[in-house]
C-alpha cells in the first residue's frame, strides 16, 4: 500500500530517491522519508504529509551520499506522523517496509536494549534485525535470521552505517523490483520508479533476499543458499508516466482508451479471419472444450469488470456456468470448485493481496488459473498457469479506468475462444468479434463529441451529496463500476444497484438530496428500464439518463450516446460515466488522482 525506493551507485542518492518517491505518490501515502549513507554516517529525513514536505527538509540538509533508501507510508499501525514515518532506525540499522508483521507484539516483547519511538510494526522489524547484527554477522545474515522469525508480509530494504556499500532487500507477499545497470542498482516497489534509470530488472519472488551493490545483485534464500536471478525487460517508458498536458492523470487515462483497447486487441482479434485468440492461455482446444465452469476472482474495479465479462461469457457459451467472486470474501469461504473448472484471476497491479491469496488456494486445489493482469512481471502474472496481459499501460491515477475497459475486452476474447473451441454459433461469435474491432473507434467518437456536454452536466449535479447508479442486465455491473468511480474521486455517497431492485427498498431514499444515473440500453429490456425510470420520476427524482435509444425519454437530463455497437455498448457508456465522475470531482475540488484514504495497489488486507 506504500512505496519503496533504493539507490546505490555513483550519483546523488537524495536526488534519485526523491524523484522515485514522487513517481510513487499515486499509490497513496500519508508520510515520506529517506536515509542516505555516507562515510560511516547516516542522514535520516522524514516528514508527515506529501513528498513536497520532505523535499523542503532535504533542500536544507542536502548530502552528496550515493547510497540510500526511501519510503512513502500509508498508515496501518499508528497514525500519520513523523515518528511513524519510514525509514525506521535501530542502532546502525535503517529499514523501510511494506506489508504487515502479524507477530510484532510478540517479537517486540522479546527485544531488549531498544527504546521504541513509533507505534509501527516496522520499527519492531528494524530492532529485531539490529538485535541479531553483531560484529561477526553480516547485514544479509542478520536480515535473513530476522525474517525467519517473522509472520506476515513484507517487502523491505535495509542499509547499515557499518556496511555502507550494500542494500539488502527481501520480499514475502509485497512486491519489490531491482533495476540493474552497469554502474548502479535501483530498487523500487513499482517499475515506474525505475524508468529512466534502466530497462533491465529482477522481479524478486517470495522468500528471496538480494544483496545489492552498485555493480552486482546476489540472490539467495533466507538460509543464504544462492539462487539464480532472471533479468527481464521493463516495458514502460517515460511518456507513459507523465501527464502530457492533461490536468490530471485520470483524464489522461480516460482519453487513452482508444489506443489502450487497440493494444489489448492487437494480434488477438481478426475480423477478416473471424477469429479471436489469446496466445498465453497455455490450454489446448481439447482442454477448452472441456471447461464447464468459469470462476472469476477479483476486487474493486476488476471485480466489476469480471461481472460484466461474465454476462458475455455466458451468452457466448450457454452450457458453461460463470461465477464471479470478491477475492476478499472468497478466500475465507469453504468453497467447492467443480472438476471441469478454470479460474480467471483479474488484477490491474497483479499484486492485490486478497486476489493473490485466492490464486494460491485455487491452484492448491488443482484448478487451472488464468491471469488477466496489466502489470508485466507482477506476482499474479508469474504464478498463474497461463493468461493475458491487457497492455493498458501504467495507470497512475488511483481510480482505475483504462484497465477496466481492457480487462473486459480481454475476458470477452476468452469467452469467444471458449465458444470457438466448443463449436458455438459462428454468426453470434462473428458479431462479437466485429464489435470488439469497432470498440476503439466508438470510444474515440464519444470522447471527441460528448466531453463538453458531460462537463456541463457534471457541474449541474456536483452539489449533491448522494447518488444512485442503476442499470439492467449488462448495464447493472456497468452501473456498479460507475458508482465506484464517482464515490472514489468525488467523495459523493453513491450506490450502484440493479434497476429492478430499487423498489425492493432503496426507493424509500429518493428525494432532493439524491441524483440518479440510469444506464438504459436499447434492447429487449428497454421498456422495463423505462418503467423503473417512471418510478423514480414519480417520487421527484433528479435523473440523468445515459442511453443509446432514440426513444423520447422523460427525465431531468438525457444524454444520448451515439454508437453502432449493440452488445458492447456498456464499454462505451462506461467511458461516459468515467468522464462524469471526473468532472464532478473537479467541480467539487477533490484530489482527483490521489483520493483521500485510498491506495493504488492493495497489497495488505
Amino acid at each position: 500500500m506504500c512505496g519503496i525506493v533504493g539507490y546505490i551507485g555513483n550519483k546523488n542518492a537524495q536526488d534519485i530517491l526523491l524523484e522515485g518517491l514522487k513517481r510513487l505518490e499515486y499509490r497513496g501515502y500519508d508520510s515520506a522519508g529517506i536515509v542516505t549513507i555516507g562515510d560511516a554516517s547516516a542522514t535520516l529525513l522524514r516528514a508527515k504529509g506529501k513528498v513536497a514536505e520532505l523535499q523542503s527538509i532535504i533542500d536544507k540538509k542536502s548530502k552528496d551520499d550515493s547510497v540510500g533508501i526511501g519510503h512513502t507510508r500509508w498508515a496501518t499501525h499508528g497514525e500519520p506522523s513523523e515518528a511513524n514515518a519510514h525509514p525506521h532506525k535501530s542502532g546502525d540499522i535503517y529499514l523501510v517496509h511494506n506489508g504487515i508483521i502479524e507477530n510484532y507484539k510478540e517479537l517486540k516483547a522479546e527485544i531488549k536494549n531498544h527504546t521504541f519511538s513509533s507505534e509501527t510494526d516496522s520499527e519492531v522489524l528494524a530492532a529485531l534485525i539490529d538485535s541479531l547484527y553483531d560484529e561477526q554477522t553480516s547485514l544479509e545474515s542478520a536480515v535473513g535470521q530476522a525474517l525467519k522469525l517473522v509472520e506476515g508480509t513484507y517487502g523491505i530494504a535495509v542499509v547499515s552505517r557499518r556496511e555502507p556499500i550494500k542494500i539488502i532487500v527481501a520480499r514475502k507477499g509485497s512486491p519489490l523490483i531491482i533495476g540493474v545497470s552497469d554502474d548502479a542498482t535501483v530498487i523500487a516497489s513499482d517499475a515506474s520508479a525505475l524508468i529512466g534509470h534502466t530497462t533491465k530488472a529482477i522481479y524478486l519472488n517470495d522468500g528471496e533476499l538480494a544483496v545489492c551493490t552498485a555493480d552486482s545483485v546476489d540472490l539467495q534464500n533466507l538460509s543464504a543458499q544462492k539462487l539464480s536471478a532472471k533479468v527481464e525487460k521493463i516495458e514502460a517508458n517515460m511518456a507513459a508516466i507523465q501527464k502530457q498536458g492533461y490536468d490530471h492523470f485520470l483524464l489522461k487515462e480516460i482519453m487513452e482508451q482508444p489506443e489502450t483497447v487497440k493494444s489489448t486487441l492487437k494480434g488477438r482479434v481478426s475480423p477478416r479471419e473471424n477469429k479471436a485468440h489469446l496466445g498465453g492461455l497455455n490450454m489446448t482446444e481439447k482442454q477448452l472444450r472441456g471447461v464447464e465452469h468459469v470462476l472469476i476472482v477479483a476486487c474493486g474495479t476488476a471485480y466489476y469488470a469480471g461481472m460484466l465479462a461474465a454476462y458475455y461469457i455466458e451468452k457466448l457459451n450457454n452450457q458453461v456456468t460463470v461465477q464471479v467472486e470478491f477475492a476478499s470474501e472468497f478466500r475465507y469461504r469453504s468453497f467447492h470448485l467443480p472438476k471441469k473448472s478454470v479460474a480467471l484471476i483479474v488484477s490491474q497491479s497483479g499484486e492485490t493481496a486478497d486476489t493473490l491469496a485466492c490464486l494460491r488456494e485455487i491452484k492448491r486445489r488443482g484448478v487451472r488459473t488464468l491471469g488477466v493482469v496489466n502489470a508485466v512481471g507482477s506476482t499474479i502474472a508469474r504464478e498463474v498457469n497461463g493468461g493475458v496481459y491487457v497492455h493498458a499501460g501504467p495507470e497512475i491515477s488511483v481510480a482505475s479506468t483504462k484497465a477496466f475497459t481492457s480487462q473486459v475486452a480481454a475476458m470477452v476474447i476468452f469467452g469467444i475462444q471458449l465458444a470457438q473451441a466448443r463449436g458455438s454459433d459462428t454468426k453470434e461469435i462473428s458479431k462479437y468479434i466485429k464489435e470488439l474491432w469497432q470498440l476503439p473507434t466508438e470510444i474515440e467518437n464519444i470522447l471527441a463529441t460528448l466531453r463538453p456536454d458531460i462537463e456541463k452536466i457534471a457541474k449541474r449535479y456536483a452539489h449533491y451529496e448522494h447518488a444512485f447508479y442503476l442499470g439492467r442486465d449488462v448495464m447493472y455491473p456497468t452501473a456498479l463500476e460507475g458508482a465506484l468511480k464517482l464515490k472514489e474521486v468525488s467523495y459523493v455517497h453513491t450506490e450502484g444497484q440493479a434497476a429492478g431492485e430499487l423498489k425492493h427498498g432503496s426507493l424509500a431514499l429518493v428525494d432532493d438530496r439524491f441524483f440518479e444515473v440510469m444506464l438504459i440500453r436499447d434492447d429487449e429490456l428497454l421498456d422495463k428500464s423505462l418503467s423503473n425510470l417512471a418510478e423514480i420520476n414519480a417520487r421527484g427524482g433528479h435523473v440523468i439518463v445515459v442511453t443509446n435509444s432514440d426513444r423520447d425519454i422523460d427525465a431531468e437530463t438525457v444524454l444520448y450516446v451515439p454508437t453502432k455497437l449493440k452488445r458492447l455498448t456498456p464499454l462505451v457508456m462506461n467511458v461516459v460515466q468515467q468522464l462524469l465522475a471526473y468532472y464532478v470531482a473537479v467541480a467539487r475540488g477533490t484530489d482527483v488522482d490521489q483520493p483521500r484514504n485510498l491506495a493504488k495497489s492493495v497489497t495488505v488486507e
Side-chain angles (χ1 to χ4, degrees), residues 4 97-98 143 147 152-157 168-177 189 202-210 219-220 222 350-351 356 360 377-380 382-383 603:
I4 288 176
H97 167 230
N98 286 349
V143 172
L147 293 179
T153 59
Y154 55 81
I156 63 169
I168 309 303
V169 296
R171 74 157 279 177
K172 179 185 176 184
S174 191
L176 275 180
I177 309 167
S189 52
I202 298 167
Y203 292 85
L204 216 58
N205 294 309
D206 279 358
E208 291 182 344
L209 178 151
L219 210 59
Q220 58 185 250
L222 299 186
E351 303 292 350
L356 181 57
R360 288 167 176 167
S378 58
T379 305
I380 289 175
R382 286 181 283 124
E383 292 196 14
T603 56

Side-chain angles (χ1 to χ4, degrees), residues 230-452:
K230 180 183 178 183
V231 179
E232 301 182 43
K233 184 179 179 182
I234 299 174
E235 300 291 340
N237 56 49
M238 190 67 75
I241 61 170
Q242 295 175 332
K243 288 181 183 176
Q244 296 179 302
Y246 288 98
D247 290 336
H248 299 95
F249 280 108
L250 182 58
L251 181 59
K252 173 180 178 277
E253 287 156 14
I254 291 170
M255 299 299 292
E256 285 177 339
Q257 288 174 102
E259 292 305 314
T260 56
V261 174
K262 286 180 185 177
S263 295
T264 304
L265 303 180
K266 187 177 180 181
R268 295 165 172 168
V269 175
S270 173
R272 182 177 297 178
E273 297 178 14
N274 195 33
K275 280 190 176 182
H277 180 79
L278 297 173
L281 298 185
N282 297 330
M283 294 181 71
T284 64
E285 291 284 305
K286 182 179 179 181
Q287 288 172 323
L288 285 167
R289 282 195 298 273
V291 173
E292 295 182 0
H293 176 261
V294 176
L295 170 68
I296 302 175
V297 177
C299 294
T301 285
Y303 173 81
Y304 297 135
M307 278 188 71
L308 178 54
Y311 281 83
Y312 295 122
I313 296 170
E314 287 175 340
K315 290 175 188 291
L316 285 159
N317 300 273
N318 58 16
Q319 293 183 340
V320 173
T321 302
V322 186
Q323 175 185 356
V324 189
E325 298 286 351
F326 280 117
S328 56
E329 288 294 318
F330 194 63
R331 64 178 293 192
Y332 296 112
R333 283 171 43 193
S334 300
F335 59 85
H336 167 72
L337 293 176
K339 288 183 178 180
K340 296 182 179 181
S341 294
V342 65
L344 301 184
I345 312 298
V346 191
S347 169
Q348 189 282 136
S349 68
E351 303 292 350
T352 312
D354 294 308
T355 309
L356 181 57
C358 284
L359 159 64
R360 288 167 176 167
E361 177 59 23
I362 291 165
K363 283 184 70 176
R364 190 186 69 80
R365 298 187 184 207
V367 173
R368 181 178 294 273
T369 56
L370 303 175
V372 182
V373 174
N374 189 35
V376 175
S378 58
T379 305
I380 289 175
R382 286 181 283 124
E383 292 196 14
V384 288
N385 300 117
V388 53
Y389 285 122
V390 300
H391 295 308
E395 266 195 343
I396 304 303
S397 179
V398 166
S400 180
T401 50
K402 59 182 181 176
F404 174 90
T405 310
S406 289
Q407 285 165 349
V408 176
M411 285 185 276
V412 171
I413 298 172
F414 169 77
I416 293 170
Q417 194 167 344
L418 199 61
Q420 288 171 332
R422 296 171 62 86
S424 299
D425 184 357
T426 55
K427 288 184 179 179
E428 186 65 12
I429 290 172
S430 66
K431 291 175 182 176
Y432 277 89
I433 291 173
K434 183 179 179 181
E435 290 205 6
L436 278 171
W437 195 250
Q438 293 173 327
L439 183 59
T441 300
E442 293 288 308
I443 293 175
E444 188 172 28
N445 290 339
I446 296 305
L447 292 171
T449 59
L450 293 186
R451 261 182 77 191

